[in-house]
Amino acid sequence: MDEKTAAIADPAGTVRPFAETQPPVEDMSDLKTHNVAIEKAGSDAEEEIVEEDLYRPLLMDSTIPHEPNPLTIRAVVVGCILGALVCASNLYLGLKTGFTFSASMFGAIFGYGILRLLDKAGNIPAMYRLGVMGEGTPKDEIGAIFTITLIASFIGIFYATPFRRFFIIQVARELDLMFPTPTAVALTIRSMHAGAAGSLEAAKKLKMLMICFAGALVHRVGSSYAVGILYDWHPFTWIHIWSGYKSWALNIESWGWYFEWTPAFIGSGMLIGLNPAISMFAGGVIAWAIIGPTLVHYEECIGIDVSGDDPKWEGLYSFASLSGLGKRKPSPRYWLLWPGVMVMVCSSMAELFIQYKAIWAALKSVWFQSCGGINHMLVKRGKTSPFFAKHGAPRVKDENIVEDPFPAEQQVKTWMWALGFLVTTIIGMIVFHFQWDTHPGLTILAIFLAFLFSFLAIQIGAVTDNTPLTAAAKASQLVFGGATSHSGYTVQHAQKINLVAGSLASGSADMATSLVGDFRTGFLIGTSPIKQWIAQSIGAFVAVWLGPGLFVLFTSAYPCIYKDITPEQEAAGMKCSFLVPSVSAWAAVAQAVTDPKISIPLKSGIFAIVMGVVSMLQVVFRHYYLVGPRHKFRRWLPNWGAIALSWVIPAPVFANAALLGAILAALWRKYHLKTWDIYGYAVAAGFIAGEGLGGVVNAILTLAGVDGGVYGSMIACPGDSC
């Protein structure tokens, strides 16, 4: 395989802010066709260069024996184990920073059958923070958490099943649906099974991943006993200490300007590339070095004194509080939350509308196929309908249309997904009515929104690799805010419905989008759809029990995940190990659309609208002006999703680590591309998964009372607390 193909086969991975991917392939047109070196059998081996069409199954190495039944017990067990690992890592990192990471490439390196788990838990702790779950804990409500996970997972799986034929077979070429990340995963799998050379490369990747995984795990656990030395470096605190506790440096420290040696975010920076990393860092500078201090200076926002009345730490403040909303001036974090959410929603929706021609073509295709199906049923019953006969008549097909290589017996039968969807919907209506006090009509609305968001997200993600699920989640909250207004609900009841129904809509859409992406990978490497579907269902079933269990583990060890730290606790120096930006976003939107006492600051709203318009204008500029010879300038445009994320995360610390990782990766690729192709993703994936599992170990140590908070040191930490 040549260098170009190898680079495509192991691209930057997928990083999801609030479950929304960053494009891992800078120029996705490179994936449409490329040259593949195929080794001819025989003693006089030669390489024949073939231009490969990525809208058809990949050309595989002819020496690899065909595996008629890939769905073995070994594959299922390995997939579940690896999926559990990724679920634990994503839950830890998602609660900590709002990021989750795609499991697909990790699974391609570490083994077959990675399990996609529903690790989005932002709405559950948000309900506790808003007081709509009563006085209990997540442990007390684990049954309800199980059921909402079960319903959201399987509704998404069932209704997304027919999307495979539509998006991957029928309209893929017509609508230019490349599915960049799933395609790159398929290419990676093939490269690691390409004869002896592929096996050797796969072994190297696995070894490096294991080393980095173990190193990151040990570092995360060990550093918790000396956070200020091994994990968090606070140079402005050091300056303050060295000056005899008499310096201006705490003014900078208070805004979160320190460096965290987090393997996960150094790894993420290696994957997302320089543009998103620089954009994220720039967003942090704009938010926490310019806008935030300006807001406090002009008394638009306030901070909380966290010195604990210790004169050594006088001048140490927190500007990230979300408590006391509607009762006092907001913190800069609350003020900046709205521009961040607005930019995420606007940029995603702009990407959606910019694809209006493709979406209209897709909708017409759905209409014609539906008419064809109805007409076929009528003909079988001896009836006719001129209307359905006309609109359902076979269309003239391109001779190069994608053909499905799998026979009917290897497809998912219609009755399987249809019956499953019907049963799950009925169960969901019953469960949501009795467990969550949600009217069955609102449950149906949530499922309809999930279907709509899935259709749009798959369409956009297949073209741009950027699925607008953040916009879908917030849009669903706005819809349910309108649906519950003036309906006699109390504020708390309306907030519960808003969060639960919004979670069902966005969670099902996320699962459906993931499933279709997996179907695309399976289509390219020749995996039977029915086998994939069964494996996905097994994985989702395991996830139903594993994900909530891990969530309860984290919330038991760190109650601040679902309980707001009070101003008194914050003033006493209490800090939460998890920034939970996604929880804050869910809760803030729910409050804003349901509670008349809480409002968005006027100037924050104006700024949010302006920046939302700017982000949309850039999308239009990129799609309509930066084309042809100007296409190369697209890479210089800022990534507004990354910028907005820095406005939502209440500290620039993760942007700092991601920028370091991106710089290291850029230098590595520039000076030794060959070793990057072999080891780059393995290093990053090992770092990410290792720190995530280290966070799980730390949670267990915290519950056991032997964590760093008990036996460790807080030396070199601001306020003697990190």
Side-chain angles (χ1 to χ4, degrees), residues 85-93 213 216-217 220 262-264 554 685-699:
L85 174 62
V86 176
C87 178
S89 300
N90 269 347
L91 186 58
Y92 166 78
L93 296 169
F213 172 81
L217 191 156
R220 185 66 197 98
T262 161
F554 279 114
F687 281 169
I688 292 166
E691 180 172 353
L693 191 61
V696 176
V697 174
N698 281 342

Side-chain angles (χ1 to χ4, degrees), residues 670-691:
K670 180 177 180 179
Y671 292 107
H672 217 293
L673 179 61
K674 186 175 181 180
T675 57
W676 164 263
D677 289 339
I678 298 174
Y679 298 115
Y681 189 89
V683 170
F687 281 169
I688 292 166
E691 180 172 353

Side-chain angles (χ1 to χ4, degrees), residues 144-377:
I145 299 174
F146 279 144
T147 54
I148 193 172
T149 307
L150 173 70
I151 293 165
S153 297
F154 279 94
I155 282 180
I157 286 177
F158 289 136
Y159 76 65
T161 302
F163 283 175
R164 175 192 176 273
R165 178 164 180 79
F166 178 74
F167 283 110
I168 297 173
I169 304 300
Q170 294 175 332
V171 300
R173 191 187 301 278
E174 178 185 357
L175 302 184
D176 199 22
L177 306 182
M178 180 52 58
F179 294 90
T181 293
T183 299
V185 171
L187 291 167
T188 298
I189 292 173
R190 181 179 66 174
S191 72
M192 293 191 300
H193 292 80
S199 298
L200 180 61
E201 180 179 311
K204 290 179 179 179
K205 289 176 185 284
L206 179 59
K207 182 179 179 180
M208 180 59 69
L209 190 149
M210 293 286 288
I211 292 172
C212 294
F213 172 81
L217 191 156
V218 171
H219 171 264
R220 185 66 197 98
V221 175
S223 65
S224 66
Y225 293 88
V227 181
I229 299 173
L230 300 177
Y231 197 68
D232 289 345
W233 283 10
H234 295 263
F236 297 105
T237 291
W238 303 345
I239 293 173
H240 184 68
I241 294 173
W242 295 335
S243 69
Y245 299 96
K246 298 177 181 178
S247 75
W248 48 266
L250 284 186
N251 293 323
I252 302 176
E253 177 68 52
S254 296
W255 290 99
W257 288 102
Y258 61 95
F259 188 83
E260 187 165 279
W261 290 99
T262 161
F265 271 82
I266 293 174
S268 77
M270 295 173 65
L271 299 181
I272 64 178
L274 279 174
N275 182 287
I278 293 173
S279 297
M280 192 175 174
F281 179 78
V285 172
I286 293 170
W288 308 108
I290 300 175
I291 296 178
T294 302
L295 291 170
V296 173
H297 177 76
Y298 288 101
E299 299 183 350
E300 289 288 333
C301 296
I302 60 172
I304 295 176
D305 186 342
V306 293
S307 64
D309 295 325
D310 187 338
K312 293 190 305 182
W313 299 106
E314 184 179 357
L316 185 63
Y317 283 82
S318 168
F319 298 106
S321 175
L322 290 176
S323 59
L325 294 179
K327 300 176 182 177
R328 61 182 183 188
K329 289 184 178 180
S331 66
R333 179 184 182 184
Y334 182 76
W335 197 98
L336 285 161
L337 176 66
W338 296 105
V341 171
M342 177 67 82
V343 169
M344 287 183 182
V345 172
C346 287
S347 58
S348 296
M349 296 306 293
E351 291 285 358
L352 173 65
F353 289 120
I354 214 75
Q355 301 289 338
Y356 72 94
K357 290 184 179 179
I359 293 174
W360 177 244
L363 292 174
K364 286 198 300 182
S365 181
V366 169
W367 167 249
F368 291 140
Q369 291 178 43
S370 300
C371 290
I374 295 172
N375 184 63
H376 179 69
M377 292 175 59

Side-chain angles (χ1 to χ4, degrees), residues 397-669:
K397 295 185 178 180
D398 191 310
E399 61 180 3
N400 293 319
I401 193 170
V402 175
E403 298 292 342
D404 196 338
F406 301 101
E409 59 269 18
Q410 295 185 30
Q411 303 286 349
V412 181
K413 302 295 188 291
T414 300
W415 68 264
M416 293 180 177
W417 64 262
L419 180 61
F421 177 69
L422 178 62
V423 171
T424 309
T425 298
I426 294 172
I427 294 174
M429 293 168 64
I430 295 172
V431 168
F432 274 61
H433 175 70
F434 289 103
Q435 278 194 336
W436 302 98
D437 298 323
T438 302
H439 190 277
L442 293 176
T443 304
I444 294 295
L445 175 60
I447 295 172
F448 172 76
L449 290 176
F451 180 88
L452 177 63
F453 293 150
S454 299
F455 187 87
L456 299 177
I458 293 167
Q459 162 72 34
I460 299 303
V463 176
T464 68
D465 214 31
N466 189 347
T467 51
L469 291 174
T470 295
K474 302 309 165 221
S476 67
Q477 286 189 272
L478 295 175
V479 170
F480 284 105
T484 56
S485 64
H486 308 296
S487 298
Y489 294 106
T490 64
V491 171
Q492 284 197 334
H493 192 184
Q495 288 174 348
K496 179 189 288 190
I497 293 173
N498 186 278
L499 291 168
V500 171
S503 175
L504 174 60
S506 60
S508 298
D510 190 21
M511 179 61 77
T513 304
S514 298
L515 176 61
V516 175
D518 289 343
F519 274 144
R520 163 68 174 176
T521 300
F523 167 79
L524 290 173
I525 63 175
T527 304
S528 164
I530 184 63
K531 301 293 184 184
Q532 274 192 285
W533 190 76
I534 294 173
Q536 188 87 10
S537 300
I538 294 172
F541 183 77
V542 174
V544 166
W545 316 110
L546 178 64
L550 289 170
F551 175 69
V552 168
L553 170 67
F554 279 114
T555 52
S556 298
Y558 308 102
C560 61
I561 290 173
Y562 69 95
K563 287 183 180 179
D564 274 324
I565 295 177
T566 65
E568 294 74 20
Q569 292 172 323
E570 200 162 11
M574 181 177 177
K575 295 181 179 179
C576 185
S577 300
F578 294 83
L579 296 178
V580 289
S582 57
V583 176
S584 304
W586 276 96
V589 174
Q591 286 179 294
V593 299
T594 58
D595 193 342
K597 297 179 181 178
I598 296 178
S599 61
I600 301 172
L602 177 61
K603 293 180 181 178
S604 171
I606 294 173
F607 182 70
I609 293 171
V610 171
M611 299 314 298
V613 171
V614 169
S615 68
M616 290 191 293
L617 290 176
Q618 178 176 294
V619 172
V620 175
F621 177 74
R622 185 179 73 248
H623 278 273
Y624 290 108
Y625 184 74
L626 296 184
V627 295
R630 293 186 292 269
H631 186 277
K632 60 185 178 182
F633 296 113
R634 289 188 177 190
R635 68 182 61 190
W636 299 103
L637 293 176
N639 185 315
W640 280 102
I643 292 173
L645 188 66
S646 289
W647 296 352
V648 174
I649 296 178
V653 58
F654 301 113
N656 302 340
L659 181 60
L660 174 63
I663 292 173
L664 292 175
L667 293 174
W668 188 355
R669 281 194 293 263

